[in-house]
Amino acid sequence: MTDVLDELYATLQARKNADAQDSYVASLYRGGLDKILKKVGEEATETVIAAKSGDRAALVHELADLWFHSLVLMAHKDVPLAELTDELARRRGRSGLDEKAERPAEGRPRTSRSK
């Protein structure tokens, strides 16, 4: 699976230099962060609706859209996949309740800058 994500992420990075008339992803980048965030929000909402509908195929489709647009956001902000997988690995084997309790009061995750 990581090969698919690595290849997709590389393609998304390459689309930063593509013509917005020829590439959907390039058009998202040209629209800026707000346009990308709007798409992530739309896909999250559609994922929730699909999950509630009980239609497994629709849920898988919407999850793929959500992951895709989340990866567009990551590429736009130059967050490498390794940074995400490192964070997930860091959380492995830890209680979600413990991890949440360690967050700063405002609910943002701790980073090397905020410790």
Side-chain angles (χ1 to χ4, degrees):
M1 178 175 82
T2 57
D3 288 345
V4 171
L5 294 178
D6 287 336
E7 289 173 19
L8 176 55
Y9 188 82
T11 299
L12 294 174
Q13 286 287 8
R15 293 292 190 268
K16 288 180 176 181
N17 300 317
D19 186 331
Q21 293 183 349
D22 298 331
S23 166
Y24 169 69
V25 172
S27 73
L28 289 174
Y29 291 143
R30 296 306 175 269
L33 182 61
D34 286 345
K35 184 171 184 173
I36 295 167
L37 294 174
K38 181 178 177 187
K39 284 304 297 180
V40 171
E42 287 173 7
E43 298 305 340
T45 300
E46 290 171 5
T47 298
V48 169
I49 292 167
K52 294 286 284 181
S53 78
D55 182 341
R56 185 178 181 89
L59 176 58
V60 169
H61 178 86
E62 295 304 337
L63 283 167
D65 283 350
L66 179 57
W67 279 36
F68 176 84
H69 287 90
S70 295
L71 287 168
V72 170
L73 174 59
M74 287 176 58
H76 179 73
K77 299 295 278 183
D78 291 317
V79 176
L81 281 174
E83 198 168 329
L84 175 65
T85 56
D86 288 350
E87 177 63 17
L88 291 171
R90 184 188 68 77
R91 296 179 184 191
R92 187 175 17 205
R94 295 191 64 214
S95 161
L97 296 174
D98 290 343
E99 192 276 333
K100 188 174 180 178
E102 292 176 3
R103 291 182 190 169
E106 63 271 10
R108 283 182 267 148
R110 294 177 189 252
T111 65
S112 58
R113 291 182 298 269
S114 64
K115 286 185 179 174

